[in-house]
Amino acid sequence: MSLTIYNTLTRTKEPFQTLTPNRVKMYCCGVTVYDYCHLGHARSYIVWDTVRRYLQWRGYAVEYVQNFTDIDDKILKRADVEQSSMQAVAEKYTAAYFEDLHRLNVRDADSYPLATKHIQEIQDLIADLETKGFAYAVDGDVYFRVRRFDEYGKLSKRNLEDLRAGAGERVEAADPDQIKKEDPFDFALWKAAKPGEPSWESPWGNGRPGWHIECSAMIQKQLGDTIDIHCGGGDLVFPHHENEIAQSECAHDRRPLSTYWMHNGMVKLSGEKMSKSLGNFITIRKLLDDYRDGNHQPIDPMTVRLFVLTAQYRKPMDFSDASITAAGQSWQTIKDGMLFGYEFGEKLGWDNLDPIRADTPATIAEVDRFRTAADDDFNFAEGLVVVFELAKELRKVGNIITHDSEQTADPMLLKDKWQTLIELAGVLGLEVNPDELKVQVSGLSDAEIESLLTERQIARANKDFATSDRIRAQLTEEKIVVIDKAGVPSTWYRG
RNA sequence: GGCGGCAUAGCCAAGUGGUAAGGCAGAGGUCUGCAAAACCUCCAUCCCCCAGUUCAAAUCUGGGUGCCGCCUCCA
């Protein structure tokens, strides 16, 4: 069995073959740092983080690079609004990016190149393209000569004729620089400085880089001419990634920029793509800090991860109150299973609570099922089936133990299953904190609870159900779950 | 208008020729004074529609319909 990846370039699933055995060079288009990240960004970076984790779990050494665009009109505009500088705005929202994505358990990339730190590489690349006839300068701007690259459009599956036919008059109207271009689809590599905006000296006069060129230059610098996987949001296929290909492959004698191109589907809100421009977005911090689901509960960061992972990464997905609530319920199930070992391991006589899985026939079978699913173009939704089944089985045993009944399953087999669950959930970036079990969710001490229960027991014996129900309501308020049994004392636990 | 993609139960969603995974929600039961929690059982004769290929199709082909994305900055 081997890993297959859906390649946007060929629109088919292909067997995964790396340039160098067991090594993966992976580049992900990062954000333009002019605002807080929203759920759409969260999906993208959770997906690529999980792909990276999975590749590592499969034994690949992954070199993962993700850029920040820190030169951009929107950042400048924001700086104006915030009475700040481009650099200050970029730094503010870069810091916010890390805060938000760390909460979602997205691991740091191996490096985070910045456009402003690669001005020399960008200029060298533009000069190279100019020398080779793929770029031309006009009044301090430099444009890429799209017609010189006969493969232009190979990623997005469109050709210049289609584009011209489709665009009609819109192309002309949009851009005042249009008249400078040889072809309406030529795009800017370098933009002449405008008064009051940050700029850098260059052979073409003061100016700043265009958007597309930074990725080409930084990939070349950080990872080399050809990489294994280039990924990003589906909305970047055209023109951004198409242009990256044009720039890099023309500069590098047509050597491919990336073997595989991967794109994640968009997050939708009320049927429409979540985006800044439409204004229908919900930021990660708003979702995690202020949002309440259908059960009036706050959203656990792991719920967001699970929500993202339940959909195939290429498909669009809808965010709604109902869908995030369902994800929250589902996460509770998985969490219960993952906490099982920490909660019951000792009672079951395990000699340690080490979550590292050992190879046993039982664990290997589950791991194989998971791997088979995920090897098919990272079908984590199907892999999640194994996670759910393990979690539900452990939760069931946990409940049997909690409710003081006989527990007959083999403790060592349970440990195998628990360790497998921890490992597979971990591959998906789903983690629990064992300390959660120690947290006093109730302000009441055990003694106080016992005392109230005794009082309640007396009331129940006297058939004073009004009093017993009042005490139970009080305990429920304190998140104490009471279980009544006939003939034996009531049991309780913190829920 | 051009290009690309998607349509599976109340909701999310897997399944890519061999007779519909999983999750959430829901129903019934066990338990309880009644609950709650948990457990057990049930929950798509059928995969947007119409034709076709095949012994066999949700899965392949053709034609519709609907929805979405990109074509401007966008994860």
Side-chain angles (χ1 to χ4, degrees):
Chain A
M1 289 305 280
S2 68
L3 177 61
T4 60
I5 294 183
Y6 181 88
N7 191 349
T8 305
L9 204 49
T10 58
R11 309 286 161 123
T12 55
K13 285 182 191 171
E14 302 172 6
F16 185 50
Q17 288 196 312
T18 54
L19 298 162
T20 308
N22 299 112
R23 296 198 51 184
V24 178
K25 291 181 176 186
M26 189 168 169
Y27 181 87
C28 177
C29 279
V31 286
T32 300
V33 277
Y34 73 99
D35 204 349
Y36 296 114
C37 288
H38 58 62
L39 227 200
H41 301 110
R43 180 183 192 190
S44 193
Y45 300 116
I46 286 171
V47 163
W48 305 126
D49 174 61
T50 310
V51 165
R52 176 197 189 193
R53 287 169 184 262
Y54 184 71
L55 290 170
Q56 289 174 329
W57 183 69
R58 289 288 263 108
Y60 293 97
V62 181
E63 194 175 355
Y64 183 78
V65 176
Q66 181 182 321
N67 73 306
F68 284 114
T69 297
D70 59 346
I71 318 173
D72 181 84
D73 287 338
K74 288 185 173 173
I75 303 175
L76 290 167
K77 198 178 289 179
R78 189 71 178 220
D80 198 39
V81 171
E82 296 192 3
Q83 304 249 302
S84 176
S85 67
M86 182 177 85
Q87 191 183 344
V89 168
E91 283 172 1
K92 173 181 172 182
Y93 291 107
T94 301
Y97 170 90
F98 283 116
E99 278 175 29
D100 294 342
L101 278 295
H102 284 164
R103 292 175 75 183
L104 298 175
N105 209 16
V106 169
R107 283 187 185 162
D108 281 346
D110 294 306
S111 72
Y112 288 102
L114 305 178
T116 53
K117 299 283 190 246
H118 288 76
I119 299 297
Q120 190 56 53
E121 287 82 359
I122 289 169
Q123 291 189 4
D124 290 348
L125 182 56
I126 295 173
D128 190 16
L129 287 168
E130 192 179 23
T131 304
K132 289 174 176 164
F134 293 106
Y136 57 95
V138 188
D139 301 341
D141 290 343
V142 184
Y143 294 99
F144 185 88
R145 188 174 275 132
V146 157
R147 267 180 295 185
R148 276 295 304 279
F149 183 47
D150 56 5
E151 292 182 82
Y152 190 78
K154 67 178 176 179
L155 181 69
S156 57
K157 303 286 178 246
R158 44 189 109 188
N159 56 54
L160 287 170
E161 282 61 47
D162 285 344
L163 286 167
R164 288 197 186 91
E169 64 287 355
R170 294 167 63 186
V171 174
E172 316 302 331
D175 185 355
D177 292 332
Q178 205 55 251
I179 43 167
K180 298 182 190 170
K181 299 182 188 176
E182 294 177 2
D183 184 288
F185 289 96
D186 288 352
F187 53 91
L189 300 171
W190 188 261
K191 297 175 176 181
K194 291 185 183 119
E197 292 186 351
S199 66
W200 288 263
E201 286 181 13
S202 85
W204 313 281
N206 280 5
R208 58 189 172 95
W211 176 39
H212 314 297
I213 196 71
E214 69 175 80
C215 285
S216 283
M218 292 190 289
I219 291 170
Q220 184 182 344
K221 169 82 184 305
Q222 304 271 330
L223 295 169
D225 289 0
T226 300
I227 62 174
D228 294 290
I229 298 174
H230 191 310
C231 55
D235 51 355
L236 298 182
V237 173
F238 188 90
H240 186 54
H241 291 163
E242 198 69 74
N243 292 351
E244 277 185 53
I245 287 175
Q247 295 159 346
S248 294
E249 299 191 358
C250 287
H252 301 145
D253 302 319
R254 302 301 186 98
R255 283 193 299 284
L257 171 56
S258 178
T259 313
Y260 301 90
W261 287 83
M262 297 180 69
H263 295 94
N264 65 276
M266 300 293 100
V267 176
K268 299 190 294 174
L269 198 60
S270 329
E272 270 189 318
K273 176 185 166 187
M274 186 178 284
S275 72
K276 291 285 170 56
S277 40
L278 288 170
N280 62 339
F281 60 90
I282 175 163
T283 62
I284 296 171
R285 48 187 61 198
K286 180 123 183 136
L287 181 66
L288 260 25
D289 294 333
D290 302 333
Y291 199 88
R292 291 295 176 271
D293 70 12
N295 299 324
H296 312 292
Q297 295 300 307
I299 310 297
D300 187 305
M302 288 300 107
T303 292
V304 179
R305 241 191 126 97
L306 185 61
F307 170 72
V308 166
L309 263 13
T310 51
Q312 214 284 341
Y313 75 89
R314 284 187 277 117
K315 284 193 175 182
M317 68 188 303
D318 252 301
F319 175 83
S320 68
D321 217 49
S323 58
I324 198 69
T325 303
Q329 302 274 43
S330 300
W331 168 239
Q332 189 61 48
T333 299
I334 293 174
K335 187 164 105 177
D336 286 346
M338 293 179 77
L339 288 171
F340 174 85
Y342 301 115
E343 197 169 1
F344 302 106
E346 215 170 305
K347 280 182 198 162
L348 288 166
W350 298 357
D351 46 8
N352 61 62
L353 298 182
D354 187 351
I356 307 302
R357 177 183 64 89
D359 276 340
T360 69
T363 68
I364 289 172
E366 303 293 1
V367 167
D368 274 352
R369 278 215 294 156
F370 178 84
R371 189 197 295 112
T372 301
D375 267 0
D376 179 14
D377 191 31
F378 306 100
N379 193 340
F380 299 128
E382 202 183 348
L384 231 21
V385 169
V386 180
V387 171
F388 271 112
E389 288 181 0
L390 287 168
K392 283 200 131 181
E393 193 173 340
L394 293 172
R395 181 176 69 169
K396 175 176 157 182
V397 174
N399 282 315
I400 291 171
I401 296 171
T402 299
H403 294 196
D404 271 328
S405 305
E406 286 300 306
Q407 193 293 118
T408 55
D410 173 8
M412 288 305 111
L413 187 61
L414 290 173
K415 187 176 183 184
D416 285 345
K417 286 178 186 279
W418 175 66
Q419 289 170 327
T420 307
L421 172 64
I422 296 288
E423 175 170 325
L424 298 183
V427 173
L428 303 176
L430 298 171
E431 290 171 9
V432 290
N433 181 0
D435 293 340
E436 248 185 77
L437 292 167
K438 300 186 191 122
V439 173
Q440 287 283 105
V441 283
S442 165
L444 297 175
S445 69
D446 287 12
E448 286 169 320
I449 293 165
E450 294 290 359
S451 156
L452 280 166
L453 278 178
T454 305
E455 195 184 321
R456 177 167 175 273
Q457 201 53 47
I458 293 164
R460 289 179 71 216
N462 293 331
K463 304 235 187 284
D464 178 6
F465 296 123
T467 301
S468 80
D469 288 350
R470 184 178 50 71
I471 294 170
R472 185 170 63 196
Q474 185 186 346
L475 289 165
T476 303
E477 195 72 10
E478 298 287 345
K479 302 268 194 252
I480 305 296
V481 178
V482 180
I483 301 142
D484 291 334
K485 292 269 184 189
V488 296
S490 300
T491 55
W492 62 274
Y493 63 91
R494 296 189 159 89

